[in-house]
Amino acid sequence: MADTLSLPLPGVRHGERLAISVLDERAQLDPQSPWVSMPIDEGDISKGYKDITYSQFANAVNHAAHWLVRHLPPSKKPFQSFAYAGPKDLRYPILAMAAGKVGKVQYLLCHTWKQMVLPSPMMPSDAHLHILKEKECDLYMRPESMASIVDHVVQRREGLQIVAAPALEDLLQDKPAEPFNYKKSWEEARDDPWLVFHTSGTTGYPKPITYTHRMMAMADVAAKLAGNDETQLHHYTSKRWYTPLPMVHFVGMLMILSMSTFVHTVVVLGPPGPPSPETLIDILKYGRVDGAVLVPALIDALCRDASGLAALKSLQYIHYAGAPLGVNSGKRLAADVRLIPTIGSTEVGGYFTKLRHDTEDWDYVEFNKHAGAEIDSTIYKEQVLKLIIFLLFKKASLEYIFIKDKMQQIFFLYPDRDRFETNDLWMEHPTRKGLWKIVGRTDDYIPLSHGDGLYASTVEREIERHDLVQAALVGGHGKPKPVLLIEMVPGKHDEELLEEFIQSLLPYLEKANAQCHESVQVSPELVLLAKPEKPFVRTLKGSVARLPSLSLYEQEIEGIYRNVL
């Protein structure tokens, strides 16, 4: 099992350090220490890996900082925004660090600092434009390989200027760059805007979320606050980690910028495209990976193959993110590897939780006292589902000054609030109080195990047009495909006519699927009929209570997945 290191690190003053300053410090004091490890040959991972050192990283950042000064146009804004979209390579973290460094004297000693906006290239044009408008961003940097995506967006926004991105080899080169010194202290820079991520946009347009230097340093804060409690951060300390999540994503950028600099994680890279199970097995083997952040769909795929299962069991840690992990995969792994749910959001960041050596209840978490997480019992109080909220520590508390300024990043984003509802629904362990498992959200979005999802109501409305359907529910949280649960009109349920009913349902299902991406469409094989003796749960208004009704059929839903998938 895992050999987990302790925190804080010896001789390190955690909690008030800037990632930019730590990078330069490590490049000076320990220049040959590895920052990332990448394949020698992306086409043949079996040839092994090579390290990029902190000396090389810092040199590349200095090259990039000088490049930004030369190529970005002047601005009168105190913080000039520029968007960047590129392939999955090291330009993302190099340009990000450089953006944080650059403050150019312009317009009679007005310091113009930079903030880097990170739109997902997969977003629709309207979502792109919304984020650029919200951040008053008039510059879009991209390499030629991204021209077809970015230029289409640029054409729709007047005044938006394209900046050709530098080649990676022009930044990550052996020639020493002239030092680009960053002189701001923690107190001066901690609340400066730096990187702009965005939410997934499941209930509308994606929302841009601006991360300050302090918010990107929350891993360092957690190292200071952990105390005797084991946290996820302990797993990253001085270990080799891999994730397929792109660096445009908050988790991917956090790992390669924050975990690496603050707790000495070595980030192991793979080829730029989404990894197949076979590629992932090679990455874990030849990259000598200790831990991995994976989406459940990848874990499930590997668990179905003997060599994939062996590769996962060779790890010390698996942190899964994006959706719940299937019970079968969890049971196969929990005895051999530390299996940890990674829960959070772009706004809140990673939830600050305490970890346990637990092979049975691996899918439950316990909140660290510094998280400020509370259970809202006024919502769903007659059911087992609860809403987790975050409360600002009160001024009357002796911990208030320490915690408010250090850990609860949601209140850096929303300083006018003292309460934040996550909209996540949780279930407490039936016998182990204080352990919680996330089971869904208050809205009707169904996240699937591969990271995509669908709005349940879109499908349900079409299905309920059928004369024999009284109500329809879409489920499948964390599964590869959605399941459709149908409650028939009273007196019309007949198991012997099930095949005939499914055939009559196909035109409605076809219309519903036409509104969904292929990866989230409902398959006729995953249609389940509710039993007359077990009707859907209704609210006082008479509407179907979604999650309680799906919970009624938990065993039947698991059974149909076992038979079909």
Side-chain angles (χ1 to χ4, degrees):
M1 293 294 284
D3 177 22
T4 302
L5 301 181
S6 62
L7 288 171
L9 292 172
V12 174
R13 184 182 177 183
H14 292 287
E16 296 184 358
R17 302 187 298 164
L18 302 167
I20 295 170
S21 301
V22 175
L23 165 60
D24 286 338
E25 180 181 290
R26 293 198 65 187
Q28 291 178 5
L29 300 180
D30 195 7
Q32 297 308 308
S33 60
W35 165 51
V36 300
S37 191
M38 58 193 302
I40 295 172
D41 182 350
E42 291 181 344
D44 185 0
I45 298 176
S46 67
K47 292 182 179 179
Y49 272 70
K50 61 180 179 181
D51 290 340
I52 305 297
T53 67
Y54 271 89
S55 176
Q56 292 172 297
F57 182 26
N59 190 56
V61 169
N62 285 335
H63 277 299
H66 288 294
W67 189 96
L68 291 175
V69 170
R70 293 193 304 269
H71 290 85
L72 294 189
S75 174
K76 295 182 180 180
K77 300 175 182 177
F79 288 91
Q80 180 186 37
S81 296
F82 72 93
Y84 175 73
K88 187 180 176 183
D89 64 29
L90 290 177
R91 276 176 289 191
Y92 269 102
I94 291 170
L95 287 170
M97 278 291 198
K101 267 194 169 188
V102 171
K104 185 178 178 183
V105 180
Q106 297 170 339
Y107 295 100
L108 300 178
L109 302 182
C110 174
H111 285 264
T112 300
W113 299 90
K114 312 299 178 188
Q115 61 177 342
M116 185 172 170
V117 183
L118 297 163
S120 168
M122 304 299 292
M123 286 194 304
S125 296
D126 287 346
H128 254 101
L129 293 169
H130 172 75
I131 288 176
L132 297 175
K133 180 180 178 181
E134 286 290 307
K135 300 313 297 180
E136 299 181 356
C137 182
D138 296 324
L139 300 172
Y140 208 136
M141 187 186 302
R142 54 88 177 136
E144 188 62 31
S145 62
M146 300 296 291
S148 60
I149 295 174
V150 172
D151 294 9
H152 177 68
V153 175
V154 171
Q155 292 168 6
R156 296 184 57 192
R157 177 172 166 83
E158 185 177 354
L160 185 57
Q161 179 181 342
I162 294 175
V163 178
L168 178 59
E169 53 267 26
D170 291 337
L171 305 178
L172 196 60
Q173 57 171 293
D174 293 334
K175 180 182 177 181
E178 181 181 346
F180 200 108
N181 297 320
Y182 183 81
K183 297 182 179 180
K184 279 193 173 185
S185 66
W186 167 262
E187 289 76 15
E188 293 170 325
R190 62 186 180 185
D191 293 321
D192 284 353
W194 180 14
L195 300 173
V196 181
F197 302 100
H198 59 78
T199 62
S200 59
T202 56
T203 57
Y205 279 130
K207 182 192 303 183
I209 304 296
T210 301
Y211 267 60
T212 62
H213 288 276
R214 170 159 49 179
M215 291 166 68
M216 286 300 292
M218 295 310 286
D220 204 36
V221 175
K224 183 177 184 178
L225 295 178
N228 295 324
D229 295 328
E230 183 181 342
T231 69
Q232 293 190 30
L233 198 65
H234 287 81
H235 294 182
Y236 287 90
T237 303
S238 300
K239 298 290 186 178
R240 295 173 66 89
W241 274 77
Y242 167 78
T243 184
L245 294 172
M247 286 168 272
V248 70
H249 190 281
F250 159 66
V251 174
M253 190 66 86
L254 184 74
M255 183 180 290
I256 203 164
L257 288 188
S258 301
M259 296 300 188
S260 60
T261 53
F262 292 126
V263 294
H264 303 184
T265 305
V266 178
V267 179
V268 177
L269 304 177
S276 65
E278 294 76 19
T279 299
L280 185 51
I281 290 171
D282 284 345
I283 292 171
L284 300 182
K285 176 181 179 181
Y286 296 106
R288 308 187 314 282
V289 175
D290 298 310
V293 179
L294 302 173
V295 295
L298 264 179
I299 298 173
D300 291 338
L302 289 172
C303 282
R304 288 192 289 266
D305 175 77
S307 57
L309 182 61
L312 291 177
K313 288 185 176 183
S314 72
L315 298 173
Q316 296 181 34
Y317 315 99
I318 296 174
H319 292 187
Y320 60 91
L325 180 63
V327 173
N328 290 336
S329 294
K331 287 182 177 179
R332 291 182 175 185
L333 294 168
D336 298 286
V337 58
R338 296 291 302 279
L339 193 58
I340 306 296
T342 296
I343 305 170
S345 69
T346 310
E347 291 172 294
V348 176
Y351 292 1
F352 198 25
T353 58
K354 297 164 58 175
L355 303 186
R356 313 168 316 281
H357 291 261
D358 198 329
T359 60
E360 295 295 328
D361 297 318
W362 47 267
D363 51 350
Y364 285 83
V365 301
E366 180 180 3
F367 286 94
N368 188 289
K369 65 179 181 179
H370 295 311
E374 300 286 345
I375 308 304
D376 191 338
S377 59
T378 64
I379 300 179
Y380 308 104
K381 63 182 179 180
E382 296 179 356
Q383 303 166 16
V384 294
L385 302 179
K386 302 292 183 180
L387 186 67
I388 297 290
I389 61 172
F390 290 96
L391 297 178
L392 182 68
F393 282 85
K394 302 302 181 183
K395 292 184 178 180
S397 168
L398 293 177
E399 292 182 306
Y400 171 77
I401 295 176
F402 181 59
I403 300 300
K404 175 182 179 294
D405 288 342
K406 303 289 185 177
M407 195 59 216
Q408 295 182 299
Q409 80 166 41
I410 190 62
F411 300 114
F412 302 150
L413 278 178
Y414 306 117
D416 57 327
R417 300 188 191 182
D418 59 8
R419 169 192 175 100
F420 181 80
E421 297 183 1
T422 65
N423 292 326
D424 297 327
L425 290 175
W426 298 72
M427 180 181 295
E428 191 171 21
H429 193 283
T431 60
R432 302 175 67 181
K433 299 303 180 184
L435 299 188
W436 294 88
K437 176 169 65 174
I438 191 168
V439 294
R441 289 182 55 81
T442 55
D443 54 39
D444 68 353
Y445 183 76
I446 309 295
L448 301 178
S449 63
H450 44 66
D452 293 327
L454 75 161
Y455 287 101
S457 58
T458 303
V459 174
E460 291 160 358
R461 283 195 301 266
E462 287 295 337
I463 301 303
E464 288 171 354
R465 294 178 187 273
H466 193 290
D467 291 339
L468 299 181
V469 175
Q470 177 164 276
L473 281 176
V474 174
H477 289 77
K479 301 294 185 182
K481 294 182 179 181
V483 66
L484 177 61
L485 183 60
I486 293 176
E487 186 181 62
M488 298 188 70
V489 172
K492 297 296 183 179
H493 184 101
D494 190 339
E495 289 289 342
E496 294 182 1
L497 299 177
L498 175 60
E499 187 64 32
E500 181 178 330
F501 171 72
I502 296 295
Q503 288 298 316
S504 70
L505 193 66
L506 292 181
Y508 300 88
L509 196 56
E510 184 176 348
K511 288 182 180 179
N513 282 335
Q515 304 177 56
C516 304
H517 188 274
E518 182 179 350
S519 64
V520 299
Q521 291 178 352
V522 179
S523 168
E525 290 78 19
L526 288 173
V527 175
L528 187 65
L529 294 188
K531 301 173 183 177
E533 65 270 22
K534 197 158 65 171
F536 289 170
V537 179
R538 257 68 179 187
T539 66
L540 292 176
K541 297 179 181 179
S543 59
V544 174
R546 174 181 302 281
L547 291 176
S549 297
L550 290 171
S551 296
L552 276 180
Y553 285 87
E554 183 176 356
Q555 292 184 358
E556 291 89 343
I557 291 172
E558 287 296 328
I560 197 171
Y561 276 121
R562 283 196 300 270
N563 293 333
V564 173
L565 299 183

